[in-house]
Amino acid sequence: MTGIPDNAGSSRLSKLMRRTQEPLVRRVLVVDDEDGIRTALSKFLRARGFEVMAVGSGEEATTATEMLAAGAMDYLMKPFEFSELEAVLERNLHRRTLIVEQRNVERLIREDVAARTDELLLERRAVQEMSVAVIEALINAQEAKDLHLRGHSQRVAALAASIASAMGLDDELVEDIRLAGRVHDVGRIGIRESVLNKPGPLTSEEFDHVKESVRLSVEILSPLTHIARILPFIQDHQEHWDGSGYPRALAGPEIAIGGRILHLADAYDAMTSGRAFREPRSPQDAIEVLSQLSGIQFDPEIFQAFRSVVQRRKSLVFIDTDSQGT
């Protein structure tokens, strides 16, 4: 008990001590077919603070075996001395006190474990959010240099989470995919600006340089062990359904589902955001172009969910615009 070092532990220990110091119910059942003996035993026991129930036959009381099974601590057979009775009672009261204390300690340990688990989860979330906030600050600084990239990661995260939700994925996985979207482009910070902002096609060397961004993203995020579960999504977000993507040329279901979703969300945002060397495409034009790559570059099932999400968004925008004009 002295091993509890903190104030919370001391407080719980105090509670335990108060509980175990509370008087226990001292209850005794006296069974005897002689009225005088029942009366004498009852007076003796009540004088010592016991609650007493006295009955005159085994039929009224039930058997000793059944009483023990129901929770009785012990029993005595006649003849016996009052001193023997008192010794048996004290022994069993002490035994009962130890059992109650043990139960209280076990309950407090369970409460401590549950409380500490909750605290650790809160601490883990706080650390995760702080780490992600730092990564996002790097990404925002990079995106701020290019008007067309500004807000890209947040848009990809929101769209990817919507696609995952439309597919019926569980809430935790949806949020992991959203988180991966928020930080998937951190490796872009290691790409030369002359390549990022080039107003024309990339050379093979430049394209190989761009591919390094995936590796850099994983390297930057790997030390953050509390978000390790999202690394496969980021590592796979440039893989293609037909195996022609990078960095590992994975194909089909080999690609992490979060990576498949991010890849499509990333491609759509790039097309609809535009670049310095081209105008952005409309959502409908982007869908039509991307539909031709369903089953080649993109997972067909994910593409269907993506199409429904984007079309629903367009519908909502139309309704909102119409309501403002009325």
Side-chain angles (χ1 to χ4, degrees), residues 127 131 135 216-228 231:
V127 171
S131 303
I135 298 299
L216 289 171
S217 292
V218 173
E219 286 186 2
I220 291 169
L221 297 172
S222 289
L224 306 178
T225 56
H226 47 283
I227 60 171
L231 290 185

Side-chain angles (χ1 to χ4, degrees), residues 28-41:
V28 179
L29 172 64
V30 176
V31 183
D32 201 289
D33 56 1
E34 296 183 34
D35 184 63
I37 293 178
R38 290 200 309 274
T39 301
L41 286 173

Side-chain angles (χ1 to χ4, degrees), residues 19 80 95 107 120-121 153 161 207 223 225 261 282 290 318:
R19 289 176 186 172
F80 58 82
R95 196 171 135 213
R107 182 172 64 253
L120 287 173
L121 287 174
S153 295
F207 187 53
T225 56
I261 292 173
S282 69
L290 294 173
F318 174 77

